[in-house]
Amino acid sequence: MTSVEIDQNIDFHLQQALNHLNEALNQSVAVVAQNQELQKEIGQKWGSFINSFFAAVRDSGKKNRMNLFKWISLPKFL
């Protein structure tokens, strides 16, 4: 694979992930709008997802001896 193909492949997967996250967010908002009692459960699902993502970044960084968190600007994120 060329560098351009690798970049395009990464972009494709990140865009797909963003599309899925947007859909999950839209569904989460719709569910909670219909039933406020589900807010805690939906919030736990999102918290679990975010924790899993950051754990995967941390674990991959350790495995590959890289600080992958340098790739993510947390101040911009927050």
Side-chain angles (χ1 to χ4, degrees):
M1 250 186 187
T2 68
S3 177
V4 171
E5 290 171 323
I6 291 169
D7 284 350
Q8 289 173 342
N9 194 33
I10 292 168
D11 288 343
F12 171 78
H13 286 290
L14 289 172
Q15 186 60 52
Q16 289 295 101
L18 184 58
N19 291 342
H20 288 289
L21 287 170
N22 281 329
E23 184 59 33
L25 181 59
N26 291 338
Q27 288 184 22
S28 297
V29 169
V31 165
V32 172
Q34 289 181 346
N35 185 348
Q36 288 290 316
E37 293 176 6
L38 294 174
Q39 182 174 347
K40 184 177 179 179
E41 180 182 340
I42 299 299
Q44 288 173 337
K45 290 178 187 296
W46 279 97
S48 178
F49 167 77
I50 291 169
N51 286 336
S52 294
F53 173 73
F54 281 110
V57 171
R58 182 189 65 237
D59 294 345
S60 183
K62 284 181 181 180
K63 178 181 174 185
N64 293 288
R65 298 177 186 218
M66 295 180 192
N67 182 0
L68 303 183
F69 286 110
K70 283 185 173 181
W71 300 0
I72 302 168
S73 174
L74 292 180
K76 285 183 181 180
F77 176 74
L78 300 173

